[in-house]
Amino acid sequence: MHPRRRPRRCPREPAPPTGSLIPVDAPFSAAQESWLAGFIAGIAAAGKKASGAAPTTTIDVLFGTQTGNAEFLADELVARAKARGLGGRAAALDAVTPEQLAEMTHVLVVTSTYGEGEMPDNAGLFWDAVQASTVPRLEGLQYAVLGLGDTSYDEFCQAGKLLDTRFEQLGATRVHDRVDCDVDFEDAAALWSAAVLDRLAAEAGATGAPGATTGSGADGGATATGGAGAGRASRPGSQWNKRNPYPSRLAENRLLSSPRSAKEIRHYEFDLGDSGIEYAAGDALAVVPVNDEVFVAELLEQVGANGGESFDGRPITEVLRSDREVRTPSKDLIADLVQRAPASELAAVVSHGDKHELDRWLWGRDVLDLLRDAGPAAPELDELLPNLRPLQARQYSISSSPLAHPDRIHLTIASVRYGDPHRMYAGVASTFLADRVDPDGTVDVYLQPNASFGVPADASAPMIMIGPGTGIAPFRGFLHERAAAGATGRNWLFFGDQHRDTDFVYQDELTELQEQGVLNRLDLAFSRDQAEKVYVQTRMREQSAELFAWLEDGGHVYVCGDASRMAKDVEAALLDVIRTGRGRDEDDALSYLADLRRTKRYVRDVY
């Protein structure tokens, strides 16, 4: 593994204030250090205020999140607002009605974008509601929007853009321009947050009256939604993060699927050692991969480099292995290659202007393929590097429970391998773990909390889990959690894959959990064991009456796995179950499902 380095500081970036309590070798960027110094100063200043003084302005921070990043930033914003003497409350967008929104005076929206420009799961109901013709006007509201996204997608930060425009259409006043953050969002988010809070704090100091409150109260607790977000788990922050990952020992790497399977699914265990990392069932673990050195050598040969070059004072081989995405072509690289090689196959596909055709052509191709397609017009090394995106950590759903395994985190990962004898392709992180980490070697990791995806707070509530393939991962952790906690709620798992004899992962464990009375129902769907394919949604419809009875008994539904097809098919089946159970129409079923979403009884971890 490459040694971790302190981020290089640009001379123009502001240094932390003199006398800062932040160590000079702390693993933070200049923007983060500046913010932390101000945050500490704010806490000190807040402590000097009279204990009876109430905030003059309350900021409602509304978040839409799929993996937890937006929720983390929302909680951080509330803490920063309070440190500046402002009131602050955080809630999921779906927890707020248009009527409650109209009573608020200061709203900050932090939202990610899911899929192809869609709202994240806990923001869809809010978006539907604010589009209605009867929605209240928002002339008395000041707002700002922070979008989180990935520029590799066409609809970059689309959810934030839509909400920003809609608030403006409803008469709200934008107090700061929207900022759209790429995957490395931390610095941009910190600067946006500081600017917005600076303005609101200055406004409150200039016009706020002592003891005044706004909207629905300034107690800093739950929002007017009756506690939305108040029950979210609050866990201490960790020193281990994207900028400072923890070098964990890979304690176990074993094959789960049969060697005869068309898939390669593996079980990994990461030793937490003295890290102090505290995880929860339902969280994700981010794995920082290292690119395959053989592929890097092929890439260098393609651009006419010998490997002895350096970049920013470092060997180019190290840069390409540790810092750059060399498999997935970036949009910038595609655009550059089209301009350089207008007669290439890529340029011909792009010229049609059909996004789906381009996606189909790109599927399975990597940077090396595109360079070869460009032929002699392909860029040289120094021209290629700016068009390679930073290498990103890969996030995986944790498949263990801290109650059963407090010192280790388990992952369940399918190794991505495809191709032919002429050219084999491999997943960056999945084959890094499977092939290139020595036994007891170290892997850089950090926790990605997901407070929205966990076992029901009510230990007696029924739990319905739908997770084919590696989608079983979090549900293995859920079952271990409930077993260790002695929860009394019934548990039902829908699981499937291609073949029972080769792809039934964790079969022995699931059988034991059934014998222990922890797993009350296990419905299996192995699609290719019979002439007619059978999927988990098939089993859901077959068990429609009982499944609806579990819902009526307060059951929580969890879905994990592929977002493009499986999750949509499962939702369609769930709507059929509800419609049949209630004996009513589609609109009624949609309303019932919306209530399940709103009360956090239907949640998904899809990708």
Side-chain angles (χ1 to χ4, degrees), residues 68 108 120 268 279 313 368 389 401 426 448 564:
L108 302 182
Y268 299 96
Y279 74 99
L368 186 56
R389 288 165 54 83
S401 161
Q448 180 64 59
S564 61

Side-chain angles (χ1 to χ4, degrees), residues 87-101:
R89 303 168 299 194
L93 281 158
D94 275 359
V96 177
T97 67
E99 292 72 25
Q100 291 162 342
L101 179 66

Side-chain angles (χ1 to χ4, degrees), residues 4 40 139 175-176 226 285 303 355 357 364 494 551 567 598:
R4 287 185 301 281
I40 294 169
E139 271 82 4
V175 296
H176 193 282
L285 187 72
V303 297
K355 175 185 178 301
E357 181 185 357
F494 290 86
L551 292 178
R598 193 174 292 110

Side-chain angles (χ1 to χ4, degrees), residues 63 65 68-77 185 232 237 448-449:
F63 62 87
T65 189
N69 284 329
E71 183 174 7
F72 168 79
L73 289 175
D75 288 339
E76 188 179 67
L77 266 169
F185 61 85
R232 289 183 287 114
Q448 180 64 59

Side-chain angles (χ1 to χ4, degrees), residues 43-73:
I43 292 176
K48 296 177 182 179
K49 291 188 175 184
S51 59
T56 60
T57 298
T58 293
I59 300 171
D60 286 286
V61 185
L62 310 181
F63 62 87
T65 189
Q66 199 70 32
T67 62
N69 284 329
E71 183 174 7
F72 168 79
L73 289 175

Side-chain angles (χ1 to χ4, degrees), residues 143 160-170 174:
Y143 79 99
K161 294 173 183 176
L162 290 172
L163 289 168
D164 187 34
T165 299
R166 188 55 178 155
F167 272 58
E168 182 181 42
Q169 290 171 343
L170 293 172
R174 188 183 292 107

